[in-house]
Amino acid sequence: MRYRVTHSTTYDYSSNVSLCHNVARLLVRNTRQQRCHSSALHIEPQPSSVNEWTDLFGNRQVNFSIEIPHNRLVVRATSEVELETGAALDMLFPVSWESAAEMMKTEKDTDTLEARLYLLRTDFTEAGPEVLEYARPSFPSGRSLIEGVEDLMHRINRDFTYDPGFSTIATPLKDVIAHRRGVCQDFAHLAIACLRSMGLAARYVSGYIETLPPEGKEKLVGVDASHAWFSVYVPQRGWMDFDPTNAQIPLDQHITTAWGRDYADVAPLKGVVYGGGKHRLGVAVNVERL
């Protein structure tokens, strides 16, 4: 399946910005099941410098600076990407979650050593006792890793209400758990915190969902906006994605932009501005099937 993704961000300032430095993570990356055929970043006003590089996690980053006065900033990313329609990792992979957690400690192969980075707690995935308490029912003794993660995904989808008005990116995870409300970012962070509390490696994935649903199916939550889900490391197999917002395993409708330890590693656009006063932010996303 081939898609064109357009992500436009506009900042309107109440007074002139004299200088700004920014980092954008808006260009779609290549993955095992995803190939980016083309991508471009359009910036207004014209930046004085633009540099693209690859970060620690393999994400594409673009640094740019604007050194002329401006009261509007427009950043538009356009990518054409092809997804291979294929099955997820073997759902019957029999390793138990306890064995997987032990392998994360003992295995010395390159993939496992790299995955250990995703065992670390972060500000967005701080695991208090309420996180461990929520995680445990999905991981009884002897249960397979993938069955446990899938159960956790479905429980989050069932127990929590999708409420765009409840949280901001600064809302603590403990508040999300207490009120059982949030958005895709919150649900991804909760799942990651649960898995890490059980000694399992999990990472945060940002991207998009296809705008138009398949014929006969309901429109998915998260369309026409950035989306987030999580991925768990399966020893000797690789990474496997899960989307708790929609209670599904991503296959050919989820387009990956970046991944990291949490949202802070993959924020689509951030920077420093001098001046500007108050600002108004506008974001528009379109995912078109080609």
Side-chain angles (χ1 to χ4, degrees), residues 232-254:
V232 65
Y233 182 69
V234 183
Q236 301 178 356
R237 288 294 191 276
W239 291 91
M240 184 171 177
D241 288 0
F242 294 82
D243 180 357
T245 304
N246 294 295
Q248 65 177 215
I249 295 173
L251 292 176
D252 60 356
Q253 288 181 281
H254 289 66

Side-chain angles (χ1 to χ4, degrees), residues 56-127:
L56 170 67
F57 311 102
N59 304 317
R60 300 171 65 185
Q61 292 198 29
V62 177
N63 296 356
F64 65 91
S65 298
I66 299 174
E67 300 178 356
I68 59 173
H70 58 282
N71 56 23
R72 167 176 266 210
L73 171 64
V74 178
V75 181
R76 183 182 306 109
T78 304
S79 299
E80 289 195 8
V81 58
E82 186 172 359
L83 303 184
E84 295 182 9
T85 303
L89 291 178
D90 184 3
M91 291 294 291
L92 300 178
F93 185 52
V95 67
S96 69
W97 72 267
E98 296 103 326
S99 296
E102 184 63 25
M103 293 169 76
M104 289 305 304
K105 299 177 183 177
T106 60
E107 294 296 308
K108 305 296 183 182
D109 61 281
T110 301
D111 290 343
T112 303
L113 292 176
E114 290 180 354
R116 287 181 184 174
L117 176 65
Y118 300 96
L119 290 168
L120 304 175
R121 295 182 181 181
T122 64
D123 289 342
F124 286 114
T125 61
E126 186 61 36

Side-chain angles (χ1 to χ4, degrees), residues 63-238:
N63 296 356
F64 65 91
S65 298
I66 299 174
E67 300 178 356
I68 59 173
H70 58 282
N71 56 23
R72 167 176 266 210
L73 171 64
V74 178
V75 181
R76 183 182 306 109
T78 304
S79 299
E80 289 195 8
V81 58
E82 186 172 359
L83 303 184
E84 295 182 9
T85 303
L89 291 178
D90 184 3
M91 291 294 291
L92 300 178
F93 185 52
V95 67
S96 69
W97 72 267
E98 296 103 326
S99 296
E102 184 63 25
M103 293 169 76
M104 289 305 304
K105 299 177 183 177
T106 60
E107 294 296 308
K108 305 296 183 182
D109 61 281
T110 301
D111 290 343
T112 303
L113 292 176
E114 290 180 354
R116 287 181 184 174
L117 176 65
Y118 300 96
L119 290 168
L120 304 175
R121 295 182 181 181
T122 64
D123 289 342
F124 286 114
T125 61
E126 186 61 36
E130 67 277 1
V131 170
L132 184 58
E133 181 181 354
Y134 187 82
R136 278 177 172 159
S138 291
F139 298 96
S141 178
R143 191 174 210 174
S144 79
L145 168 63
I146 294 177
E147 287 180 352
V149 179
E150 187 174 20
D151 180 75
L152 176 66
M153 173 187 72
H154 284 289
R155 286 178 53 227
I156 292 174
N157 178 266
R158 182 178 64 249
D159 295 345
F160 289 77
T161 299
Y162 186 87
D163 183 357
F166 169 73
S167 62
T168 69
I169 193 58
T171 302
L173 203 53
K174 61 182 179 64
D175 290 351
V176 173
I177 295 174
H179 294 277
R180 298 296 170 106
R181 312 182 80 81
V183 294
C184 56
Q185 294 171 342
D186 301 311
F187 304 154
H189 283 144
L190 172 59
I192 291 167
C194 286
L195 293 170
R196 290 177 183 169
S197 72
M198 304 301 293
L200 302 168
R203 66 190 182 193
Y204 183 99
V205 186
S206 69
Y208 312 96
I209 299 180
E210 180 186 10
T211 303
L212 298 177
E215 185 177 354
K217 294 189 177 181
E218 295 182 0
K219 197 171 186 178
L220 298 175
V221 174
V223 297
D224 297 320
S226 296
H227 191 45
W229 56 98
F230 73 93
S231 188
V232 65
Y233 182 69
V234 183
Q236 301 178 356
R237 288 294 191 276

